[in-house]
Amino acid sequence: MENIGEIDEGFYSRQLYVLGHEAMQRMGTASVLIAGMRGLGVEIAKNVILSGVKSVTVQDEGRTEWTDLSSQFFLRESHLGQNRATCSLQQLSALNPHVRVSAHTGPLDEDLLLQFEVVVLTDSSLGDQKRFGELCHSHGIKFIVADTKGLCGQLFCDFGEAFEVLDQNGEMPASAMIQNISKGNPGVVVCTDDQKHGFSDGTKVSFSEIQGMTELNSIDPVEITVRGLHSFSIGDTSAFSKYERGGVVTEVKQPCMLNFALLNHELLKMNDFGKIIRHKTLHLAFQALHSFVKKEQRLPGVRSQVSEEALLATVRELNAVAQLEQLDEDAVRNLSFTAQGDLAPMNAFIGGLAAQEVIKACSRKFMPLQQWLYFDALECLPQDDQLGESSFSAVCTRYDGQIAVFGSAFQEKLERQKYFLVGAGAIGCELLKNFALIGLGAGEGGQITVTDMDFIERSNLNRQFLFRSQDIGKPKSEIAAKAVREMNPQVNITAHQNRLDADSEGVYGYDFFTGLDGVAAALDNVEARVYLDGRCIQHQKPMLEGGTLGSKCHTLVVVPHLTESYGPAKSSSNNAIPLCTLKNFPHRIEHTLQWARDQFEGLFKQTPENVNLFLRDAGFVEFLGGVWGSLEAMRTGGQRPANWEDCVSWARCKWETLYNNEIRQLLHCFPADQVTSTGLPFWSGSKRCPHPLTFDPNNTTHMEYVVAAANLYGQIYGIKGTTDVASIRKILEKVHIPSFTPKSSVKIHVTDEEMQEDKKRGSDDAARLEELKGKLASPSLKSSAMQMYPMDFEKDDDTNFHMDYIVAASNLRAENYDIPAADRHQSKRIAGRIIPAIATTTAAVAGLMCLELYKVVLGHKNISSYRTAYINLAVQYFVLSQPSRPHCDFLCGSEVPGMPSSLCTKTVVFSQLLSVNLVSKSVCTFLYHFSFLSSQICWPKHYVARAAWNIGYTQ
């Protein structure tokens, strides 16, 4: 972003839906310094560079050591002894062509820091933190401290004495349609009951489009008091005009000012099951750790009781002043034992959080951390640790930083693991990075199998950091696997391009799953997660699952016999837009965009597919009207164009039908002054009264529709079009627009129920059906017809006219109904069903998933060791809790969701027979393979496997 205001939307596509254009423009002016290029520093730098600031300078005086390779993914063994910042520079620079990246190998000083808007310290001393923190605070430079030691991490922010947050949560402003407004003090606003208004007490709102009480349309934002899910009060309206109908109320976001102090003791509690006040202990423990390092010039010895006692003594001294209600001495001991550790998953999580704070500092969007945050995953440590000190000693390998925490025996176990990763997108790339660094599947007998059927697109590069511009068009899984081998040549990884579903069970069948140690899900849809979850249940394999939505993320670990599974898909039918709303009564831009998407699918995909099916299959008679019209030439009454001029004519006539004729017909059936049987206005509440449009060739949106529609229509017939508006205008001058008169015989359904009732009663189109059959039976028609070229909607290609059509069609429809139009960016997100995404959240969720991986590989049996996480980086919301136990227990006779009750009962009986050895394990194996039980009752493999799993049979 060399020029302020210019944003590469193709590159930043998914992130723009998280931050927005204005925040991205502010970021494009910021220069950031990141000090320390060990694992945590490079993680922060990677995320910040991908986010799109103006420039990033990485600073480090140190030289690469073996322990750095445990988590610094841009360092190689060939870099040992060389400067870390210099060795990382090329890889960091390649992440984002819009960000200037440079390296500084000298010490930190005042002159250097004053060049930046944001300064981040990692792996720093307490003295440097205080000295540089004071300097930054006095000069208005945003200052961030981040650190990890073994399984513990800390984060600190100081954004100055007057930091303005423009958008505290990043959510779209809530809005609702108005049903009624009373005159009174206070006046009460009642919203339509099709959705909750979503406001909270104290929210400020503005009004628009109100008829009657028009004074509200022009007043400043007013503060509300919520009275119910669909109502709120707004103050005195007694002097206003009487409310008639219509209107929209919209939240108006208010900025807030924050005052940060210098290294104060305000701690943010991360809500973690079983760690209610541990963050206070860690605050003291990290201070004690700094004192230890200053005195001894080293970190505490690995598993050293002498170091542990010294650190604990210092913490007790600090607590004599702090007077904590409860000091967690076990946490202090474990921090001492593991402080020399350097773990990739910890750096991924803290690095994701720290980079998000940098983004907040640069963009002034989202609520920043105020001011300290501590996180630990000490529950990862072995539960029955009997290993001696020597097992944790450094041996000059790339895993020394991890061996210092878990020991060499665990490292060997990690290297023997066989894991299946489904998905090589954003989370998949981050997981593979962590897998390579921790050595998963990197030893004899170890293996990682990754599958992803997608190919790399430009919009992926902003968060799927293993890919570069030269990789566009190549398979994700292959390029990701190649990148992983470069990070760690020891990793054994195989890349597939298969979709994981029933069709691929020949590849991922019984033998494949039984050979695995575990599965990781990096998927982007619920259906695929549910399917993979079912396969893991069937084959009794643990599963790591995570997902993101903008700044929000979640993780779930599924452990056989111990935790609940992902579970069946939840019905989303409640969120479906009623057909009648789409067809006749839209009132939100989401409705017009869905209508435009349906138009695209029907005109340019389904109809051509139906024609091609008819040409291949003589017995095909569905959609006969559309098929005949698309086969018959325009000159004889059909819709098949002979040339480009015909395509333009079709587009112009289609415009007239959709935006004039159909609206006139609707108003003929339901005039603007129509009242219901109860005497209320028909066009009120969520029903917006439309108005027809008149085509104007000088109107930009009108012409954009014609240009896009004509080109798309030409493409499905193999006719080349043009974007020359002047030439298209000349063609339009000759187009004949048929006259239209609304008909009283036309019935328009007001509800979906009416529509369904009419369908049940059947139609009287039998004669028309026979007529079309006769026309289509003509041998000459079929022999002279040519194949058509259906289109699959592709939102990210700006040259294919797909989004051009959607945006124009939707906004014209919105104009019909006086709905505020949406720009291309917003339209692409809604119509393309794009999931907002940002690298920081992706890194954090992958780090949490790999912390659970440690526990799974260690074989933790206590459910309290595991964590389910729900996090929102935008508002510092962190909830980590113990997973739930499995919903069904076969031995107790409870039913399995989705399983017939009779089968559930028989599964319980079968489980009990197995548990008392009345049915041998060889019989169980026979039943599993042949899915058959005596008494001629068929038993699906899935249920037999779960019954066996329930009693601990793992054959």
Side-chain angles (χ1 to χ4, degrees):
M1 287 181 290
E2 294 292 337
N3 299 318
I4 296 175
E6 293 184 7
I7 297 176
D8 186 343
E9 293 193 0
F11 184 85
Y12 293 111
S13 170
R14 304 311 187 258
Q15 180 177 293
L16 276 167
Y17 296 117
V18 182
L19 297 176
H21 284 75
E22 293 181 1
M24 284 288 295
Q25 288 169 350
R26 288 189 289 271
M27 286 174 56
T29 67
S31 297
V32 180
L33 171 67
I34 301 172
M37 276 297 105
R38 287 195 162 101
L40 179 58
V42 78
E43 182 69 47
I44 298 170
K46 177 257 292 181
N47 294 329
V48 172
I49 291 168
L50 288 173
S51 73
V53 296
K54 178 182 178 181
S55 68
V56 171
T57 298
V58 294
Q59 181 273 343
D60 199 316
E61 298 178 78
R63 300 188 179 278
T64 304
E65 304 170 355
W66 277 109
T67 51
D68 295 326
L69 302 184
S70 294
S71 64
Q72 221 284 21
F73 43 85
F74 285 154
L75 294 180
R76 309 287 181 259
E77 291 185 20
S78 60
H79 295 146
L80 291 169
Q82 301 178 46
N83 180 270
R84 286 186 287 258
T86 303
C87 293
S88 306
L89 182 61
Q90 182 179 356
Q91 292 270 40
L92 288 169
S93 299
L95 289 170
N96 190 340
H98 304 290
V99 178
R100 294 196 298 271
V101 184
S102 58
H104 182 82
T105 58
L108 294 176
D109 57 37
E110 180 175 343
D111 291 338
L112 177 66
L113 267 62
L114 292 178
Q115 301 174 30
F116 300 94
E117 282 76 35
V118 183
V119 170
V120 183
L121 298 189
T122 68
D123 194 33
S124 57
S125 68
L126 185 59
D128 282 350
Q129 293 171 17
K130 290 181 176 180
R131 179 162 58 99
F132 294 127
E134 291 174 359
L135 173 71
C136 291
H137 188 87
S138 64
H139 286 83
I141 299 170
K142 286 74 176 176
F143 181 68
I144 298 171
V145 174
D147 200 5
T148 61
K149 291 292 185 287
L151 286 163
C152 300
Q154 70 172 174
L155 187 59
F156 169 81
C157 292
D158 176 2
F159 291 175
E161 296 178 3
F163 181 77
E164 184 181 38
V165 180
L166 299 176
D167 183 349
Q168 298 179 45
N169 59 20
E171 302 293 337
M172 288 292 292
S175 66
M177 296 199 67
I178 297 170
Q179 182 73 45
N180 185 58
I181 306 175
S182 68
K183 293 184 64 172
N185 187 12
V188 176
V189 179
V190 178
C191 301
T192 57
D193 59 4
D194 62 324
Q195 62 178 23
K196 302 172 186 176
H197 58 60
F199 303 129
S200 57
D201 276 347
T203 298
K204 288 194 174 182
V205 300
S206 63
F207 296 89
S208 60
E209 304 177 39
I210 294 175
Q211 298 181 37
M213 195 178 286
T214 55
E215 295 91 340
L216 285 176
N217 292 331
S218 56
I219 67 173
D220 293 334
V222 297
E223 189 172 308
I224 70 166
T225 301
V226 173
R227 300 171 68 99
L229 296 177
H230 303 281
S231 63
F232 56 86
S233 59
I234 58 172
D236 192 357
T237 61
S238 56
F240 292 168
S241 308
K242 183 180 179 181
Y243 173 82
E244 293 178 7
R245 66 180 179 184
V248 177
V249 57
T250 305
E251 174 189 10
V252 179
K253 292 200 169 187
Q254 302 295 307
C256 70
M257 296 296 297
L258 302 178
N259 183 2
F260 289 77
L262 276 169
L263 293 172
N264 72 5
H265 288 73
E266 186 174 349
L267 310 184
L268 174 68
K269 180 175 70 174
M270 185 170 291
N271 296 306
D272 190 346
F273 172 83
K275 305 176 186 177
I276 303 303
I277 58 174
R278 185 179 292 176
H279 61 295
K280 295 181 180 179
T281 295
L282 290 175
H283 188 65
L284 300 182
F286 267 85
Q287 293 179 55
L289 196 60
H290 284 297
S291 298
F292 184 99
V293 172
K294 185 177 181 179
K295 179 180 178 181
E296 303 291 339
Q297 296 298 301
R298 62 173 176 83
L299 287 166
V302 177
R303 300 277 159 164
S304 167
Q305 292 186 354
V306 174
S307 296
E308 168 219 323
E309 290 301 328
L311 188 68
L312 189 56
T314 305
V315 170
R316 287 169 178 158
E317 291 177 9
L318 292 170
N319 192 41
V321 178
Q323 293 290 306
L324 299 185
E325 294 179 7
Q326 181 178 341
L327 185 67
D328 191 338
E329 295 192 352
D330 285 340
V332 178
R333 292 189 180 93
N334 284 325
L335 173 61
S336 177
F337 285 159
T338 62
Q340 288 196 28
D342 190 18
L343 302 176
M346 280 295 300
N347 288 331
F349 180 65
I350 298 297
L353 271 58
Q356 187 72 34
E357 297 306 308
V358 175
I359 291 172
K360 295 173 185 178
C362 298
S363 68
R364 292 190 289 159
K365 184 162 187 172
F366 305 137
M367 185 60 69
L369 170 64
Q370 301 175 79
Q371 293 187 262
W372 288 99
L373 180 142
Y374 288 91
F375 170 78
D376 78 88
L378 293 172
E379 72 278 0
C380 291
L381 292 171
Q383 295 175 328
D384 53 352
D385 186 10
Q386 302 297 324
L387 298 174
E389 185 175 335
S390 61
S391 301
F392 298 83
S393 301
V395 289
C396 292
T397 73
R398 63 182 305 117
Y399 308 116
D400 279 357
Q402 187 164 260
I403 290 173
V405 177
F406 294 108
S408 56
F410 174 70
Q411 185 61 51
E412 293 172 2
K413 188 175 183 180
L414 266 177
E415 294 173 24
R416 293 193 300 269
Q417 294 291 297
K418 295 182 177 67
Y419 255 75
F420 184 32
L421 171 61
V422 186
I427 295 178
C429 283
E430 291 288 342
L431 286 174
L432 284 172
K433 171 201 71 181
N434 285 291
F435 290 172
L437 293 170
I438 69 177
L440 187 74
E444 184 176 353
Q447 179 70 42
I448 298 172
T449 303
V450 56
T451 188
D452 193 310
M453 61 178 293
D454 288 341
F455 295 85
I456 298 167
E457 300 174 356
R458 191 161 182 268
S459 63
N460 301 146
L461 304 182
N462 173 242
R463 66 204 183 282
Q464 300 176 20
F465 87 107
L466 297 182
F467 309 141
R468 302 290 179 267
S469 57
Q470 63 267 26
D471 299 324
I472 293 173
K474 299 176 183 177
K476 286 185 178 181
S477 59
E478 287 186 4
I479 299 302
K482 179 182 176 183
V484 163
R485 294 188 194 99
E486 292 175 357
M487 282 186 188
N488 184 354
Q490 300 170 3
V491 170
N492 304 307
I493 185 168
T494 302
H496 295 172
Q497 288 88 52
N498 301 317
R499 182 195 297 274
L500 190 76
D501 56 17
D503 294 337
S504 63
E505 289 185 9
V507 178
Y508 309 117
Y510 173 80
D511 291 337
F512 176 82
F513 269 91
T514 53
L516 295 174
D517 292 297
V519 173
L523 295 158
D524 61 0
N525 65 88
V526 172
E527 291 75 15
R529 287 182 170 97
V530 170
Y531 175 80
L532 181 58
D533 178 59
R535 299 304 306 279
C536 290
I537 290 173
Q538 178 180 354
H539 297 285
Q540 308 164 57
K541 299 300 176 184
M543 183 180 80
L544 308 168
E545 199 277 321
T548 70
L549 178 64
S551 62
K552 307 179 186 74
C553 64
H554 81 275
T555 65
L556 175 72
V557 57
V558 180
V559 183
H561 311 289
L562 193 62
T563 72
E564 70 173 345
S565 68
Y566 184 84
K570 307 295 189 295
S571 174
S572 60
S573 59
N574 291 336
N575 297 324
I577 303 172
L579 293 177
C580 284
T581 298
L582 289 177
K583 187 174 177 61
N584 298 310
F585 310 113
H587 54 271
R588 298 201 305 269
I589 195 65
E590 290 84 356
H591 301 158
T592 65
L593 281 164
Q594 183 60 54
W595 176 88
R597 177 71 187 268
D598 292 345
Q599 288 282 321
F600 179 95
E601 298 289 342
L603 293 171
F604 308 120
K605 184 176 190 294
Q606 294 166 3
T607 295
E609 286 178 344
N610 292 336
V611 168
N612 291 345
L613 184 56
F614 166 75
L615 294 175
R616 293 194 304 268
D617 183 1
F620 178 72
V621 294
E622 295 183 55
F623 309 105
L624 296 181
V627 171
W628 178 83
S630 298
L631 290 170
E632 189 71 17
M634 284 186 174
R635 65 179 183 276
T636 56
Q639 297 292 318
R640 188 178 190 90
N643 49 44
W644 169 240
E645 287 74 14
D646 284 351
C647 296
V648 175
S649 177
W650 174 88
R652 173 64 184 87
C653 292
K654 178 60 69 173
W655 189 102
E656 195 71 17
T657 298
L658 295 175
Y659 305 111
N660 184 286
N661 299 349
E662 291 186 355
I663 300 300
R664 288 166 61 193
Q665 179 65 61
L666 178 61
L667 289 172
H668 179 78
C669 296
F670 301 105
D673 57 357
Q674 177 91 3
V675 295
T676 66
S677 58
T678 59
L680 296 175
F682 176 84
W683 295 106
S684 64
S686 62
K687 290 188 177 67
R688 290 173 174 261
C689 185
H691 63 274
L693 305 182
T694 300
F695 184 79
D696 178 2
N698 295 315
N699 184 297
T700 301
T701 309
H702 294 196
M703 285 302 295
E704 285 174 347
Y705 177 90
V706 170
V707 171
N711 275 278
L712 290 170
Y713 202 61
Q715 288 175 26
I716 62 175
Y717 285 100
I719 296 173
K720 186 177 181 179
T722 180
T723 57
D724 184 354
V725 175
S727 66
I728 293 174
R729 280 201 181 100
K730 290 183 179 179
I731 298 173
L732 288 174
E733 293 173 359
K734 302 176 183 178
V735 174
H736 170 68
I737 304 299
S739 61
F740 174 78
T741 302
K743 298 178 177 62
S744 298
S745 59
V746 172
K747 180 176 182 180
I748 293 178
H749 300 104
V750 177
T751 66
D752 284 9
E753 289 74 19
E754 281 186 16
M755 188 183 299
Q756 293 301 321
E757 285 299 319
D758 275 5
K759 283 185 178 181
K760 290 178 182 178
R761 287 193 289 268
S763 67
D764 55 357
D765 290 337
R768 175 63 176 158
L769 180 64
E770 290 303 317
E771 178 188 355
L772 288 170
K773 282 184 178 180
K775 290 181 177 180
L776 289 170
S778 169
S780 60
L781 178 68
K782 196 166 187 178
S783 62
S784 63
M786 299 176 64
Q787 289 283 321
M788 294 180 68
Y789 305 94
M791 295 179 184
D792 289 315
F793 178 65
E794 172 49 58
K795 59 187 175 295
D796 288 319
D797 182 355
D798 288 334
T799 67
N800 63 10
F801 297 101
H802 295 195
M803 279 309 304
D804 296 316
Y805 178 85
I806 295 290
V807 174
S810 171
N811 284 339
L812 288 167
R813 178 79 162 173
E815 186 181 350
N816 278 137
Y817 287 86
D818 294 314
I819 299 170
D823 62 21
R824 187 183 185 90
H825 181 69
Q826 181 185 2
S827 299
K828 182 186 287 190
R829 177 184 64 82
I830 299 172
R833 305 180 182 102
I834 291 175
I835 299 174
I838 190 169
T840 51
T841 316
T842 306
V845 77
L848 291 176
M849 291 172 69
C850 288
L851 289 174
E852 298 307 302
L853 173 64
Y854 283 147
K855 304 168 190 177
V856 170
V857 176
L858 280 165
H860 284 204
K861 301 299 183 184
N862 191 338
I863 194 171
S864 64
S865 295
Y866 294 95
R867 295 291 182 271
T868 295
Y870 300 93
I871 290 173
N872 185 350
L873 300 185
V875 293
Q876 300 299 335
Y877 176 84
F878 303 96
V879 175
L880 292 90
S881 61
Q882 175 182 302
S884 299
R885 293 189 179 275
H887 288 305
C888 54
D889 184 345
F890 294 115
L891 293 180
C892 294
S894 59
E895 296 188 359
V896 182
M899 183 191 294
S901 58
S902 59
L903 281 182
C904 287
T905 302
K906 293 175 173 58
T907 305
V908 173
V909 173
F910 185 50
S911 300
Q912 292 171 335
L913 291 173
L914 280 168
S915 66
V916 294
N917 292 322
L918 294 180
V919 177
S920 69
K921 292 183 177 179
S922 60
V923 172
C924 179
T925 304
F926 173 85
L927 293 174
Y928 179 81
H929 284 297
F930 292 94
S931 307
F932 191 79
L933 187 64
S934 58
S935 304
Q936 299 181 347
I937 300 173
C938 181
W939 283 68
K941 290 181 181 180
H942 175 71
Y943 301 139
V944 176
R946 290 188 69 169
W949 172 19
N950 187 71
I951 53 87
Y953 173 53
T954 57
Q955 172 67 26

